[in-house]
Amino acid sequence: MPLPEILQPKEEDVQKMLTAQVHIGTRNSDNQMSDYIWKRRNDGIHVLNIGKTYEKIVLAARIITSIENPQDVIAISARPYGQRAIIKFAQYTGSQCIAGRFTPGTFTNQRTKQFKEPRLLIITDPRTDSQAVREASYANIPVIAFCDSDSPMRWVDVAIPANNKGKHSIGLLYWLLAREVLRLRGSISRAEPWSTPVDLFFYRDPEELEKAEEAQAQEVDQTAAWNAAPQDPVADLGAGALGAAPGVIPPAAGIDAAAAGFDAVGFAGPAAAAAGGEEWNMPAAPAAGAAPVAAPGVMDGWDGQAAAAAPAAATGGWDATPAPTTEWN
């Protein structure tokens, strides 16, 4: 029976399932799983039907939602790839989880400290979690299990055909199941995507985490060392490079600044004139034997220094007649 239109998977969900290889089975197949196998490839790998996978996810979500107390639902995974997924599933749905080795007698021996009486079990792999499935049959506990093409179906009430051996596949399946449970409960809307990323449900290798933490610590140390080191931009860029006015050229390395006509700011006109340098706004040095030229009253140069003016002009005040100046053509 096909799902209603509102429960149909979107194109993004199908793409995620294909990317995570949820449809990839094994070379072997169980007789009871033949209804969920779409075809067999040339290399012998069985391909599962994704449409039936999503239908069973919706059915399992409806069963989980029917349990009044979410604590009565327990997700179990002895496989390392599914331990992080069931912890996140329990966190978002409010259920319990048993990650790692399942202690025999958890559902049957009341004297154990970890004795539980759940109303529903969610199994990652019926073969790996066979002890939990067997005890659930003794206590009449319904079981929902993710079954691969070769998974045993004994004592499994609802089988979700999917790849239960890949870390991305297991994480995506629990993410889809948790999202559907929250949608049926009304916690999130179907019109908007779930804000929780699927990456949180994926298994992460401890060695990779250590390497990532070490690399991050090295970056933090390098940043702290760089910030703590004294920064001297003047020494890096050259003296006067930052404080010079636009167009001022600082002296090159290995050149005497005073002899070349440079002051603390940049190129100085009078110093350059005295040293025989030439500049576009400075007069050339007088030739030998030529009559001396009278110095102008005010000279505007790059260094902002003015030539000495007449004593009367310097002390005359604001109302004094300015000294005659020579205009440059």
Side-chain angles (χ1 to χ4, degrees), residues 99-166:
R101 181 180 180 272
F102 178 81
T103 303
T106 302
F107 300 149
T108 56
N109 189 357
Q110 297 182 0
R111 294 186 177 182
T112 59
K113 297 181 180 179
Q114 298 144 354
F115 177 73
K116 300 179 185 297
E117 291 181 311
R119 295 184 59 188
L120 180 65
L121 288 185
I122 303 176
I123 303 299
T124 304
D125 189 353
R127 179 173 283 105
T128 308
D129 305 318
S130 59
Q131 181 65 27
V133 176
R134 183 182 296 272
E135 292 190 11
S137 67
Y138 297 158
N140 293 329
I141 302 173
V143 175
I144 299 174
F146 294 103
C147 299
D148 212 330
S149 60
D150 60 346
S151 298
M153 297 280 293
R154 190 177 185 184
W155 299 314
V156 174
D157 297 286
V158 178
I160 303 176
N163 177 12
N164 58 9
K165 298 177 177 59

Side-chain angles (χ1 to χ4, degrees), residues 13-34:
D13 300 334
V14 176
Q15 290 179 355
K16 290 179 180 178
M17 296 173 70
L18 293 176
T19 304
Q21 296 184 351
V22 174
H23 61 294
I24 301 299
T26 61
R27 295 182 182 274
N28 302 324
S29 64
D30 189 86
N31 184 31
Q32 294 180 334
M33 287 292 296
S34 58

Side-chain angles (χ1 to χ4, degrees), residues 58-317:
V58 174
L59 176 61
R62 295 175 63 184
I63 296 174
I64 296 172
T65 309
S66 65
I67 305 298
E68 296 179 359
N69 185 10
Q71 291 290 323
D72 291 338
V73 180
I74 297 181
I76 301 175
S77 176
R79 188 183 296 275
Y81 286 170
Q83 294 178 8
R84 181 182 175 88
I86 65 172
I87 291 174
K88 292 298 181 180
F89 176 82
Q91 174 184 351
Y92 289 104
T93 60
S95 59
Q96 300 185 50
C97 65
I98 300 177
R101 181 180 180 272
F102 178 81
T103 303
T106 302
F107 300 149
T108 56
N109 189 357
Q110 297 182 0
R111 294 186 177 182
T112 59
K113 297 181 180 179
Q114 298 144 354
F115 177 73
K116 300 179 185 297
E117 291 181 311
R119 295 184 59 188
L120 180 65
L121 288 185
I122 303 176
I123 303 299
T124 304
D125 189 353
R127 179 173 283 105
T128 308
D129 305 318
S130 59
Q131 181 65 27
V133 176
R134 183 182 296 272
E135 292 190 11
S137 67
Y138 297 158
N140 293 329
I141 302 173
V143 175
I144 299 174
F146 294 103
C147 299
D148 212 330
S149 60
D150 60 346
S151 298
M153 297 280 293
R154 190 177 185 184
W155 299 314
V156 174
D157 297 286
V158 178
I160 303 176
N163 177 12
N164 58 9
K165 298 177 177 59
K167 60 181 180 180
H168 296 112
S169 175
I170 295 175
L172 179 61
L173 290 171
Y174 275 102
W175 183 80
L176 292 173
L177 185 60
R179 186 188 66 174
E180 191 63 29
V181 169
L182 295 178
R183 285 179 174 178
L184 292 176
R185 290 177 180 174
S187 301
I188 59 177
S189 175
R190 292 185 179 273
E192 299 178 358
W194 192 19
S195 59
T196 302
V198 69
D199 300 346
L200 296 179
F201 287 73
F202 289 161
Y203 169 80
R204 302 184 66 180
D205 190 2
E207 296 181 357
E208 295 180 359
L209 290 177
E210 292 179 359
K211 293 180 180 179
E213 291 177 357
E214 291 178 359
Q216 186 176 4
Q218 291 179 359
E219 292 180 359
V220 172
D221 295 342
Q222 292 177 0
T223 305
W226 174 263
N227 295 334
Q231 303 293 333
D232 191 2
V234 176
D236 296 339
L237 302 178
L242 295 180
V248 178
I249 305 175
I255 299 179
D256 189 1
F262 288 89
D263 58 359
V265 178
F267 185 82
E278 295 182 359
E279 195 178 2
W280 65 273
N281 62 342
M282 298 301 300
V293 181
V298 178
M299 181 181 298
D300 295 332
W302 287 105
D303 57 352
Q305 297 179 354
T315 60

